[in-house]
Amino acid sequence: MDNFARAHLPRIAALALASASLLAVTAAEAKEITIWCWDPNFNVAIMKEAGARYTKTHPDVTFNVVDFAKTDVEQKLQTGLASGTADALPDIVLIEDYGAQKYLQSFPGAFAPLSGTVDYSGFAPYKVEVMTVDGQVYGMPFDSGVTGLYYRKDYLEQAGFKPEDMQNLTWDRFIEIGKEVEAKTGKKMMGLDPNDGGLVRIIMQSAGQWYFDKEGKPNITGNPALKAAVETVGKIMSANIYKPANGWSDWVGTFTSGDVASVVTGVWITGTVKAQPDQAGKWGVAPIPALSIEGATHASNLGGSSWYVLESSAEKAEAIDFLNEIYGKDIDFYQKILQDRGAVGSLLAARGGAAYEAADPFFGGEKVWQNFSDWLVKVPSVNYGVFTNEADLAVTAQLPALTQGMPVDDALKAIETEISGHIQ
Amino acid sequence: MALARRGGIGRYYDINGWLFVAPALGLIALFMVYPIVWSLWMSFQSGRGMMMKFAGFANIARLWNDPVFIKALTNTMTYFVVQVPIMILLALILASLLNNPRLVGRAFFRTAIFLPCVTSLVAYSVLFKGMFAFDGIVNSTLQAIGIIASPIPWQTHPFWAKALVIIAITWRWTGYNMIFYLAALQNIDRSIYEVARIDGVPAWARFTHITIPLLKPVILFTTVISTIGTLQLFDEVYNLTEGKGGPSNATLTLSLYIYNLTFRFMPNFGYAATVSYVIVVLVALLAFLQFFLAREREK
C-alpha cells in the first residue's frame, strides 16, 4: 500500500489540484447572493419567494437567505461595517427605516447607490426620503408600516359599540370606549409596553411631526404633535385601560391570548393576528384615532424596512439587478406577498391588483387591504433623522413620571436635554 | 550545568528563554495590549460611526452633561451598594448553616444553592422574565397566599424592575460566594467553636466574633470579585428588559449603556470607550478602597 501511494502520489495530487481548480471555475460562474434579514414568517419568506422568482429567469444566480433576530442583524451589520472587513458582510441586508439614515451617514461608502438603476418615482415618497443622502438614493423600498386600529368586534359589541362607532375616532374617545369596555367585559382596551416608544411615534407621525425637523435638529419642546402624543399615552396609562407588557412577545401575547380588545400598530401585524384561527371573524380594522390638533390625520406609520446592497459585495451587480427586477417591477410578486404574508409594499403601481380588492373572511369580509392602501398615501412624510433610537429611549424614560402627575412640558424638557446630549 | 550556574541578571539575556515565551508574548501583545492601548486612544476621539476625529477631552466633558450616563452610573452604584452586602451576608449565613455537621441533607442544600451559578445567564434571565411577568407564577402565588392584593408590575415599574434585577443577581451569585466561605470554614479549627460554646457564647455572637473575623481574607476576596461583577453587570439586565434597561432607564447599567452607544444608537465608538474606562477606574478605586479598609482593621 505504501509503495502504491508513493508511486501514485504525484498523479493523485495533480488530479486533486485539477479538480479543485475546475470547481473554482464553476463556483466563480454560479453567483450566490447572501441576504440577512429577520422574521421567518415575513421578511425571510418573502425574500425566498423573490429569490425563487429571479432564479427562474437567471438560473446562474442562487440565494442564501439568512434568518437572524432583528437586533442581531443590526449588531452584526454595525460590527462588520466598523471592522472594515467586507468578508463578514452579506450582499443584501434588510434595514428598518428608522435606522437607515444612521447607517448611511455613519458608514459613508458602505452601501451601493441605486439612483441610476431604480425608478424611485414609482414608490411612496416617504420611503424614498428615508434612504436619500446628499441627493443619492440608496436601497430598495420594501414594506410599509402603514398603521391601523385592529379591534375585537365581539368585545366591543358586548360593551355596546358597533363597527361604525370605531371609525374616525379621536384618542379621547378611544380612551372613553376603553373604559366602557373594561367596565362591561373586564377586558383591557390594549396591550402596552412602557419600554417601547412605538405608540408615541405612531401618534406623533399621524400629525406630521417627528422627534427631529427636516434639518435633523431636535424638535421636542416646540412640537405640538409630540406633546399631544406623550399626553395621550400618559392618559392611556393613567386611565389604566392597558395591559402592561414587557417586550415584543409579551406584547403580542396580550392580543393573541384574547386579553385585550384592540391593537394599534403597523399593517405587518396582520399575519400575527390571523395566526389565531379561532379568532376568525372576530376582528375588524379601522383607521387609527386622530389627535385633536392641527395637522392631525388618521394615517401613520410604524416600522417598515428596506433592502440595501453592500458596496463591497462581490455580487453587487447581480444583487442590484435582482432587487430592481423583482421589488421594482414585478406587480404579480406584490400580489402574492400581500395575500400570503400581509405585506403592503411601497411600490405604488402594485396597489391596483386583484389582491387589494379581495375581501378577507378573517376580518368578516372587509376589504382591509384596500383600506390600508388608501391610508398608505395619506401617511405624513417626516424626517426620521439619525437619532430615533436615542429619542425613543428618552421618551419612554419619562412615561412613568407622567402617569404620576409630572407636567408634560417638564417631561418634554427632560427629553430634549437627554437627546441633545446624544447629538454630537 | 552552564544553565544552572547562570542566574540573576544573566537570565534576561538568554535568547532561548525569550524564544520560548515569544509566542505567548506576541499573542498577549496582539489580543490584550493592542486593544487596551487602542481603546484608550479611541476614548479621545468622537464622531459618527467610522468618521472619528480627535476630540481631546470632549468625551470626558460629555460624561458630566449626559443624564443617561449619570442614570446608568447611579443605577450601577445602587446595585453595588444594595446587592453586594445583601449577597455577602446571605452567603455567610448560608455557609455557616450548611457547615453544621449535624444538618440533615447538607450535600443536597449545598448543591441546590450552588446550582444557580452554573446555569446559563441567558436561560435564567429568560426564566425570571417569565416567572415575574405581570400574570406570572410569582404574582399569582403572592396573590394566592394573600401577601399582595393586586399584581406587582415587576418589569414595568421603575422601582420593582430594579428590585427584580437585584433578586435575580442575588439568586444567581449567592451560592457562588457561599462556596468560598464553606471552603474557608472547613479550615477553621472546630475547637474554637467548642470553647466558645462551653463558655456560653450565643450562636449570633459566635458568628460575628469568630466566623466573620476569621473569614476576613475570603470576605475581602469575594467583595472585590462581586464589585467587579456588579460594575460589569450586563446579561441579566439585557435579557430581562429586552436590551433597553427600562422602564424609564431604571435598570440601565454602565455596560448596557456602552452596548447601546455602540450597537443600538448612532455608533459612537469613542464615547463608548470613554464610558468603559469609567468602569475600569471605578473598579480600580473600589478594589483599592476595599483592600485599604481590610488592612486598616487588621491592626
Side-chain angles (χ1 to χ4, degrees):
Chain A
M1 269 324 237
D2 253 15
N3 282 334
F4 174 83
R6 213 170 293 146
H8 291 84
L9 198 63
R11 251 168 278 177
I12 294 171
L15 192 70
L17 205 69
S19 45
S21 51
L22 197 70
L23 274 175
V25 170
T26 46
E29 273 178 359
K31 307 266 187 183
E32 191 188 59
I33 295 178
T34 303
I35 298 157
W36 287 358
C37 53
W38 60 89
D39 197 347
N41 287 317
F42 194 81
N43 300 311
V44 177
I46 288 167
M47 201 41 154
K48 282 187 175 154
E49 165 72 23
R53 278 170 183 255
Y54 191 74
T55 305
K56 255 186 226 160
T57 48
H58 301 77
D60 54 323
V61 182
T62 54
F63 293 86
N64 175 24
V65 185
V66 192
D67 174 21
F68 293 116
K70 180 167 155 261
T71 45
D72 291 346
V73 174
E74 288 167 352
Q75 187 188 329
K76 278 176 83 76
L77 179 67
Q78 205 147 318
T79 321
L81 291 172
S83 72
T85 48
D87 296 357
L89 293 169
D91 302 300
I92 298 176
V93 66
L94 186 67
I95 296 178
E96 197 177 30
D97 290 344
Y98 299 129
Q101 286 288 327
K102 174 179 91 171
Y103 290 107
L104 292 174
Q105 289 188 25
S106 50
F107 300 103
F111 299 95
L114 309 187
S115 307
T117 320
V118 178
D119 175 17
Y120 284 106
S121 63
F123 289 94
Y126 84 96
K127 287 289 281 193
V128 182
E129 200 166 302
V130 301
M131 52 176 66
T132 307
V133 175
D134 297 331
Q136 285 277 38
V137 191
Y138 302 80
M140 170 56 72
F142 175 42
D143 75 313
S144 147
V146 53
T147 49
L149 164 63
Y150 299 74
Y151 60 93
R152 287 288 294 259
K153 286 186 208 159
D154 48 342
Y155 294 163
L156 281 152
E157 205 171 309
Q158 278 179 49
F161 298 99
K162 294 189 188 63
E164 299 88 75
D165 298 325
M166 299 305 285
Q167 304 296 320
N168 300 319
L169 294 177
T170 61
W171 280 104
D172 290 333
R173 179 77 185 132
F174 176 85
I175 294 168
E176 277 170 33
I177 294 177
K179 288 180 188 160
E180 287 276 299
V181 168
E182 193 177 1
K184 302 253 172 69
T185 67
K187 304 279 181 189
K188 296 284 187 187
M189 189 60 171
M190 62 193 301
L192 184 67
D193 179 353
N195 286 326
D196 187 343
L199 189 60
V200 171
R201 272 181 269 135
I202 292 177
I203 302 176
M204 171 171 55
Q205 192 176 351
S206 75
Q209 297 283 325
W210 196 250
Y211 299 129
F212 308 96
D213 60 18
K214 294 284 174 198
E215 280 76 48
K217 301 235 162 53
N219 175 23
I220 309 292
T221 40
N223 182 341
L226 176 60
K227 183 176 173 178
V230 169
E231 253 170 346
T232 303
V233 176
K235 275 187 210 163
I236 290 173
M237 291 175 87
S238 319
N240 201 18
I241 56 162
Y242 71 102
K243 185 179 179 198
N246 177 26
W248 179 257
S249 48
D250 216 17
W251 177 77
V252 166
T254 60
F255 58 87
T256 51
S257 63
D259 282 348
V260 299
S262 73
V263 183
V264 178
T265 193
V267 61
W268 33 256
I269 205 70
T270 310
T272 313
V273 172
K274 285 166 78 170
Q276 307 295 319
D278 55 316
Q279 294 178 9
K282 293 179 181 165
W283 285 91
V285 185
I288 62 164
L291 291 170
S292 323
I293 63 165
E294 211 185 313
T297 67
H298 290 280
S300 190
N301 182 76
L302 180 68
S305 45
S306 301
W307 304 101
Y308 292 80
V309 176
L310 274 297
E311 182 69 41
S312 58
S313 156
E315 273 77 41
K316 193 173 84 175
E318 287 79 8
I320 293 173
D321 185 61
F322 154 66
L323 288 178
N324 196 30
E325 285 299 310
I326 306 295
Y327 287 91
K329 292 173 185 163
D330 192 340
I331 306 292
D332 186 51
F333 166 70
Y334 279 104
Q335 306 287 316
K336 180 147 175 62
I337 61 171
L338 176 73
Q339 272 171 331
D340 289 0
R341 309 282 163 195
V344 173
S346 46
L347 182 65
L348 299 174
R351 296 185 306 129
Y356 276 90
E357 266 136 51
D360 194 324
F362 188 91
F363 295 104
E366 271 182 70
K367 291 187 177 179
V368 286
W369 304 123
Q370 194 56 60
N371 288 342
F372 276 116
S373 113
D374 291 344
W375 301 331
L376 173 62
V377 274
K378 292 181 190 151
V379 174
S381 168
V382 295
N383 174 19
Y384 288 144
V386 293
F387 294 105
T388 288
N389 276 327
E390 286 87 332
D392 225 29
L393 280 180
V395 168
T396 49
Q398 299 303 327
L399 288 180
L402 268 176
T403 56
Q404 283 152 22
M406 183 195 212
V408 184
D409 288 314
D410 291 358
L412 291 181
K413 252 180 226 138
I415 294 167
E416 186 159 84
T417 316
E418 188 171 327
I419 294 175
S420 308
H422 283 295
I423 297 178
Q424 302 276 329
Chain B
M1 280 316 244
L3 267 179
R5 262 206 313 278
R6 219 184 309 160
I9 199 86
R11 275 199 316 188
Y12 293 99
Y13 296 105
D14 185 356
I15 188 76
N16 288 328
W18 283 109
L19 280 177
F20 270 112
V21 293
L25 281 181
L27 289 173
I28 290 172
L30 186 64
F31 291 109
M32 283 184 68
V33 180
Y34 169 73
I36 290 171
V37 173
W38 182 246
S39 65
L40 190 62
W41 167 238
M42 250 188 1
S43 72
F44 289 101
Q45 299 182 60
S46 185
R48 298 176 177 185
M50 298 312 286
M51 298 158 56
M52 305 259 280
K53 280 196 298 280
F54 184 76
F57 290 98
N59 283 334
I60 295 168
R62 182 176 165 183
L63 288 175
W64 304 115
N65 301 319
D66 181 352
V68 189
F69 167 75
I70 305 285
K71 183 89 189 168
L73 183 65
T74 326
N75 289 341
T76 310
M77 293 320 279
T78 312
Y79 292 137
F80 171 65
V81 171
V82 177
Q83 195 266 339
V84 174
I86 291 179
M87 178 178 64
I88 298 288
L89 197 64
L90 203 59
L92 265 172
I93 293 171
L94 284 171
S96 34
L97 288 179
L98 292 181
N99 196 39
N100 182 353
R102 277 171 303 176
L103 184 74
V104 185
R106 232 166 25 132
F108 168 77
F109 286 119
R110 285 180 182 181
T111 318
I113 294 170
F114 183 66
L115 261 186
C117 82
V118 291
T119 52
S120 139
L121 279 164
V122 176
Y124 104 83
S125 301
V126 171
L127 193 72
F128 263 68
K129 208 177 148 202
M131 282 166 50
F132 286 84
F134 195 66
D135 39 19
I137 187 163
V138 171
N139 273 341
S140 46
T141 311
L142 288 179
Q143 270 179 303
I145 56 177
I147 291 181
I148 50 169
S150 58
I152 295 175
W154 289 104
Q155 299 165 357
T156 46
H157 185 281
F159 174 80
W160 291 111
K162 212 175 269 170
L164 175 58
V165 172
I166 289 175
I167 293 172
I169 49 181
T170 307
W171 180 83
R172 176 75 157 65
W173 293 109
T174 302
Y176 181 78
N177 291 306
M178 182 196 75
I179 289 294
F180 288 111
Y181 298 144
L182 261 179
L185 281 172
Q186 315 278 312
N187 283 332
I188 299 179
D189 199 333
R190 300 233 139 255
S191 54
I192 301 177
Y193 287 102
E194 271 159 33
V195 169
R197 211 173 291 127
I198 291 164
D199 286 349
V201 181
W204 181 249
R206 288 203 298 270
F207 178 68
T208 49
H209 292 289
I210 301 174
T211 310
I212 292 185
L214 285 174
L215 288 185
K216 192 185 272 174
V218 188
I219 295 177
L220 175 66
F221 169 75
T222 50
T223 318
V224 173
I225 292 286
S226 307
T227 306
I228 297 171
T230 312
L231 286 174
Q232 296 180 340
L233 188 66
F234 174 82
D235 305 65
E236 284 87 351
V237 181
Y238 182 88
N239 287 302
L240 283 170
T241 66
E242 304 241 323
K244 292 190 173 162
S248 154
N249 288 338
T251 57
L252 187 76
T253 61
L254 287 173
S255 298
L256 189 54
Y257 188 46
I258 294 169
Y259 175 87
N260 280 343
L261 286 170
T262 332
F263 297 116
R264 189 188 293 277
F265 294 166
M266 164 66 86
N268 189 335
F269 302 112
Y271 187 52
T274 310
V275 179
S276 51
Y277 270 93
V278 171
I279 298 186
V280 173
V281 171
L282 278 178
V283 167
L285 280 179
L286 287 169
F288 175 78
L289 188 72
Q290 284 157 356
F291 275 110
F292 179 75
L293 288 177
R295 199 175 299 160
E296 276 283 301
R297 273 190 228 125
E298 258 168 33
K299 272 186 213 164

